[in-house]
Amino acid sequence: MRHSNPSLAMLAAAGIGVLLVTRLAMAQADKPITVGLDGTFAPHAMPKVGGKPGEVEGFNVDLATEVAKRLKRPINVVAQEFSGLIPALNAGRFDWLAAPTTVTPERAKNLLFTEGYLNTYYQLVLKKSAPDIASLDALKGKKLTVNKGSAYDKWADTNKDKYGFEVLAFPTQTDAVQAVMAGRADANLGGNTVVAWAAKQNPTLKLGAKIDEGLMWAAPFRKDDVAGRNLVENAIECMKLDGTIARLHEKWFGIKPEPGSAAVTVFKGYGVPGTEGYDPTEHKPQCG
C-alpha cells in the first residue's frame, strides 16, 4: 500500500494554484480592472490637487495602481460614497474594492478578502478647544459622527447605548469631520490614519481615544471570485516583500510601518486567518 506525502501534495496544490493565477493574468491582460473607492477618505483617496474632475490620489490609489501594473493590466478607478461600494461590487460594477475596507465577521460572510495590507484602529478626532476624550466613557452625552456604511458606523451603532452617545451618520468622511469643526457634533470616529491626517491638515483639531480591536484593512471581492482574490493577493504579497507598501506607508502617513505589522508581513494562505473565506493552502508569492 502506498502512502501519500502530505508535504508533496501541498506543494503540488500550491503549484497548481500559481499556474492557474498566471494563466488568468495572461488571459485578461488587455481587460481593464475597475475598482471602487471613497474619494473623500484622505489620505487613502482624495481629490488630486491640479487633477481632472473626479481624479483622486492617495495611499489606496497608489496601491491599486501598482497592483494593476504588476498584473500588466490598465486600471479604472471610480470614486463614490462608501455606503454604495459593497452593493456595487456585488452587482458586478467593480472587480474589487480599492477602498480601505475593514475585515469583520459580518462582511466575511458575504465577501472574499485578500490578506490584510494595513492594521486599522478606530480613533476619535475632536476640536482642539474641546475637553479631551481620552476614554470611551467620556463619550457619554456626546454626539459622535461617522461615515455612513463604514465599520465605524457599525461600531458606533452597536455601542451607542453602552457608552451613552448619539450617532450622526454622514455620506462622506469629509462631511463627518466638517460637522465636528462646525460645532454640530463633539467628535468623529474613523480610522487612525484618516483622523490623524485630518488633524494634521486642520490645526483646530486634535486626536482622542484610540480603539484597538485587532482589525485589518484588506481588498474585498465577490464571494465567488476566488481566482481574482488570489491573483491580487499574490501582487500584494510581492509588494510587501520588496518594500513597496512600506514606501507608500511612509509617503502618505509620514512614518514607517511597525515591524510585524500587516504592511510588511506576508501571511500564510489566502485571505485573513480566522475569518470565513480564508484558504490555509500555503503558497510562495510569484514575483516577476
mmCIF file of all heavy atoms in Angstrom, residues 4 7 19 23 35 46 51 54 57 88 102 105-106 122 179 183 186 192 195 198 212 250 276 280:
data_model
loop_
_atom_site.group_PDB
_atom_site.id
_atom_site.type_symbol
_atom_site.label_atom_id
_atom_site.label_comp_id
_atom_site.label_asym_id
_atom_site.label_seq_id
_atom_site.Cartn_x
_atom_site.Cartn_y
_atom_site.Cartn_z
ATOM 1 N N SER A 4 0.577 8.526 0.636
ATOM 2 C CA SER A 4 0.816 9.831 0.024
ATOM 3 C C SER A 4 1.647 10.699 0.948
ATOM 4 O O SER A 4 1.611 10.539 2.173
ATOM 5 C CB SER A 4 -0.518 10.542 -0.272
ATOM 6 O OG SER A 4 -1.231 10.736 0.922
ATOM 7 N N SER A 7 3.319 16.739 2.422
ATOM 8 C CA SER A 7 4.117 17.898 2.026
ATOM 9 C C SER A 7 4.154 18.049 0.515
ATOM 10 O O SER A 7 4.014 19.141 -0.033
ATOM 11 C CB SER A 7 5.537 17.779 2.580
ATOM 12 O OG SER A 7 5.519 17.783 3.993
ATOM 13 N N LEU A 19 -0.079 28.279 -11.179
ATOM 14 C CA LEU A 19 -0.269 28.122 -12.614
ATOM 15 C C LEU A 19 -1.598 28.717 -13.064
ATOM 16 O O LEU A 19 -1.673 29.426 -14.074
ATOM 17 C CB LEU A 19 -0.209 26.640 -12.982
ATOM 18 C CG LEU A 19 -0.359 26.297 -14.485
ATOM 19 C CD1 LEU A 19 0.766 26.946 -15.276
ATOM 20 C CD2 LEU A 19 -0.350 24.782 -14.682
ATOM 21 N N ARG A 23 -2.140 31.885 -15.617
ATOM 22 C CA ARG A 23 -2.951 31.783 -16.827
ATOM 23 C C ARG A 23 -4.078 32.811 -16.839
ATOM 24 O O ARG A 23 -4.401 33.395 -17.864
ATOM 25 C CB ARG A 23 -3.530 30.367 -16.933
ATOM 26 C CG ARG A 23 -2.490 29.335 -17.349
ATOM 27 C CD ARG A 23 -3.107 27.951 -17.418
ATOM 28 N NE ARG A 23 -2.149 26.961 -17.907
ATOM 29 C CZ ARG A 23 -2.385 25.655 -17.940
ATOM 30 N NH1 ARG A 23 -3.546 25.185 -17.512
ATOM 31 N NH2 ARG A 23 -1.465 24.827 -18.397
ATOM 32 N N VAL A 35 -12.011 49.385 -10.241
ATOM 33 C CA VAL A 35 -12.081 49.312 -8.785
ATOM 34 C C VAL A 35 -12.834 50.520 -8.254
ATOM 35 O O VAL A 35 -12.874 51.582 -8.884
ATOM 36 C CB VAL A 35 -10.674 49.252 -8.151
ATOM 37 C CG1 VAL A 35 -9.924 48.016 -8.620
ATOM 38 C CG2 VAL A 35 -9.867 50.509 -8.460
ATOM 39 N N MET A 46 -8.398 60.898 -2.179
ATOM 40 C CA MET A 46 -8.907 62.268 -2.078
ATOM 41 C C MET A 46 -8.718 62.957 -3.422
ATOM 42 O O MET A 46 -7.934 62.493 -4.258
ATOM 43 C CB MET A 46 -8.149 63.023 -0.982
ATOM 44 C CG MET A 46 -6.643 62.983 -1.153
ATOM 45 S SD MET A 46 -5.771 63.528 0.325
ATOM 46 C CE MET A 46 -4.086 63.021 -0.074
ATOM 47 N N GLY A 51 -5.658 68.022 -10.515
ATOM 48 C CA GLY A 51 -6.080 66.936 -11.391
ATOM 49 C C GLY A 51 -7.379 67.231 -12.109
ATOM 50 O O GLY A 51 -8.015 68.272 -11.904
ATOM 51 N N GLY A 54 -12.933 64.473 -10.761
ATOM 52 C CA GLY A 54 -13.096 63.064 -10.423
ATOM 53 C C GLY A 54 -11.798 62.313 -10.214
ATOM 54 O O GLY A 54 -11.809 61.162 -9.765
ATOM 55 N N GLU A 57 -6.171 60.799 -5.624
ATOM 56 C CA GLU A 57 -4.841 60.333 -5.256
ATOM 57 C C GLU A 57 -4.849 59.895 -3.802
ATOM 58 O O GLU A 57 -5.780 60.216 -3.050
ATOM 59 C CB GLU A 57 -3.800 61.447 -5.464
ATOM 60 C CG GLU A 57 -4.018 62.660 -4.574
ATOM 61 C CD GLU A 57 -2.971 63.748 -4.794
ATOM 62 O OE1 GLU A 57 -1.990 63.497 -5.502
ATOM 63 O OE2 GLU A 57 -3.141 64.852 -4.232
ATOM 64 N N ALA A 88 -22.380 47.797 -5.034
ATOM 65 C CA ALA A 88 -21.932 47.912 -6.426
ATOM 66 C C ALA A 88 -20.969 46.786 -6.784
ATOM 67 O O ALA A 88 -21.003 46.251 -7.899
ATOM 68 C CB ALA A 88 -21.266 49.265 -6.656
ATOM 69 N N THR A 102 -12.523 47.397 6.283
ATOM 70 C CA THR A 102 -12.232 46.634 7.483
ATOM 71 C C THR A 102 -12.823 45.233 7.379
ATOM 72 O O THR A 102 -13.995 45.068 7.036
ATOM 73 C CB THR A 102 -12.811 47.345 8.725
ATOM 74 O OG1 THR A 102 -12.332 48.686 8.774
ATOM 75 C CG2 THR A 102 -12.400 46.623 10.000
ATOM 76 N N PRO A 105 -16.330 39.848 10.818
ATOM 77 C CA PRO A 105 -17.015 38.564 10.608
ATOM 78 C C PRO A 105 -18.262 38.706 9.737
ATOM 79 O O PRO A 105 -18.552 37.840 8.915
ATOM 80 C CB PRO A 105 -17.368 38.122 12.029
ATOM 81 C CG PRO A 105 -16.329 38.764 12.891
ATOM 82 C CD PRO A 105 -16.070 40.103 12.250
ATOM 83 N N GLU A 106 -18.998 39.811 9.912
ATOM 84 C CA GLU A 106 -20.212 40.025 9.132
ATOM 85 C C GLU A 106 -19.885 40.174 7.652
ATOM 86 O O GLU A 106 -20.553 39.592 6.785
ATOM 87 C CB GLU A 106 -20.959 41.263 9.639
ATOM 88 C CG GLU A 106 -21.504 41.145 11.055
ATOM 89 C CD GLU A 106 -20.446 41.355 12.127
ATOM 90 O OE1 GLU A 106 -19.344 41.854 11.790
ATOM 91 O OE2 GLU A 106 -20.708 41.004 13.289
ATOM 92 N N TYR A 122 -9.646 52.138 15.420
ATOM 93 C CA TYR A 122 -10.651 53.183 15.481
ATOM 94 C C TYR A 122 -10.081 54.314 16.337
ATOM 95 O O TYR A 122 -9.447 54.057 17.360
ATOM 96 C CB TYR A 122 -11.936 52.679 16.135
ATOM 97 C CG TYR A 122 -12.632 51.536 15.444
ATOM 98 C CD1 TYR A 122 -13.798 51.005 15.974
ATOM 99 C CD2 TYR A 122 -12.150 50.978 14.260
ATOM 100 C CE1 TYR A 122 -14.464 49.964 15.357
ATOM 101 C CE2 TYR A 122 -12.816 49.945 13.632
ATOM 102 C CZ TYR A 122 -13.969 49.440 14.195
ATOM 103 O OH TYR A 122 -14.623 48.401 13.573
ATOM 104 N N ALA A 179 -18.663 68.395 10.338
ATOM 105 C CA ALA A 179 -19.692 68.586 11.358
ATOM 106 C C ALA A 179 -19.066 68.849 12.726
ATOM 107 O O ALA A 179 -19.587 69.644 13.519
ATOM 108 C CB ALA A 179 -20.606 67.359 11.418
ATOM 109 N N GLY A 183 -19.010 72.518 14.954
ATOM 110 C CA GLY A 183 -19.630 72.511 16.270
ATOM 111 C C GLY A 183 -20.957 71.789 16.340
ATOM 112 O O GLY A 183 -21.663 71.863 17.351
ATOM 113 N N ASP A 186 -19.581 66.479 18.675
ATOM 114 C CA ASP A 186 -18.446 66.563 19.601
ATOM 115 C C ASP A 186 -17.193 65.864 19.092
ATOM 116 O O ASP A 186 -16.073 66.286 19.400
ATOM 117 C CB ASP A 186 -18.852 65.952 20.950
ATOM 118 C CG ASP A 186 -20.004 66.698 21.590
ATOM 119 O OD1 ASP A 186 -19.784 67.828 22.050
ATOM 120 O OD2 ASP A 186 -21.116 66.144 21.604
ATOM 121 N N ASN A 192 -7.556 55.333 12.220
ATOM 122 C CA ASN A 192 -6.494 56.138 12.831
ATOM 123 C C ASN A 192 -5.697 56.929 11.811
ATOM 124 O O ASN A 192 -5.331 58.088 12.060
ATOM 125 C CB ASN A 192 -5.561 55.238 13.651
ATOM 126 C CG ASN A 192 -4.915 54.142 12.836
ATOM 127 O OD1 ASN A 192 -5.604 53.321 12.240
ATOM 128 N ND2 ASN A 192 -3.596 54.104 12.810
ATOM 129 N N VAL A 195 -8.093 59.988 10.576
ATOM 130 C CA VAL A 195 -8.302 61.091 11.514
ATOM 131 C C VAL A 195 -6.978 61.798 11.834
ATOM 132 O O VAL A 195 -6.962 63.000 12.090
ATOM 133 C CB VAL A 195 -9.009 60.620 12.807
ATOM 134 C CG1 VAL A 195 -10.398 60.090 12.480
ATOM 135 C CG2 VAL A 195 -8.202 59.579 13.559
ATOM 136 N N ALA A 198 -6.572 64.232 9.099
ATOM 137 C CA ALA A 198 -7.484 65.365 9.300
ATOM 138 C C ALA A 198 -6.932 66.334 10.329
ATOM 139 O O ALA A 198 -6.965 67.557 10.138
ATOM 140 C CB ALA A 198 -8.860 64.851 9.728
ATOM 141 N N ASP A 212 -8.366 49.638 19.763
ATOM 142 C CA ASP A 212 -7.681 48.568 19.041
ATOM 143 C C ASP A 212 -8.485 47.291 19.183
ATOM 144 O O ASP A 212 -8.568 46.702 20.258
ATOM 145 C CB ASP A 212 -6.268 48.367 19.594
ATOM 146 C CG ASP A 212 -5.497 47.287 18.844
ATOM 147 O OD1 ASP A 212 -6.053 46.717 17.879
ATOM 148 O OD2 ASP A 212 -4.343 47.015 19.218
ATOM 149 N N GLU A 250 5.122 55.279 4.239
ATOM 150 C CA GLU A 250 5.920 56.432 4.655
ATOM 151 C C GLU A 250 5.549 57.677 3.846
ATOM 152 O O GLU A 250 5.508 58.797 4.372
ATOM 153 C CB GLU A 250 7.404 56.113 4.505
ATOM 154 C CG GLU A 250 8.327 57.108 5.186
ATOM 155 C CD GLU A 250 9.749 56.594 5.321
ATOM 156 O OE1 GLU A 250 10.044 55.483 4.827
ATOM 157 O OE2 GLU A 250 10.570 57.313 5.930
ATOM 158 N N GLU A 276 -14.141 33.759 7.729
ATOM 159 C CA GLU A 276 -14.760 32.940 6.685
ATOM 160 C C GLU A 276 -14.166 33.302 5.327
ATOM 161 O O GLU A 276 -13.935 34.476 5.034
ATOM 162 C CB GLU A 276 -16.272 33.183 6.674
ATOM 163 C CG GLU A 276 -17.033 32.263 5.750
ATOM 164 C CD GLU A 276 -18.539 32.399 5.891
ATOM 165 O OE1 GLU A 276 -19.004 32.617 7.039
ATOM 166 O OE2 GLU A 276 -19.242 32.272 4.878
ATOM 167 N N PRO A 280 -6.206 28.166 3.902
ATOM 168 C CA PRO A 280 -4.906 27.969 4.547
ATOM 169 C C PRO A 280 -3.823 27.372 3.649
ATOM 170 O O PRO A 280 -2.689 27.174 4.099
ATOM 171 C CB PRO A 280 -5.241 27.018 5.700
ATOM 172 C CG PRO A 280 -6.390 26.207 5.178
ATOM 173 C CD PRO A 280 -7.200 27.171 4.346
#
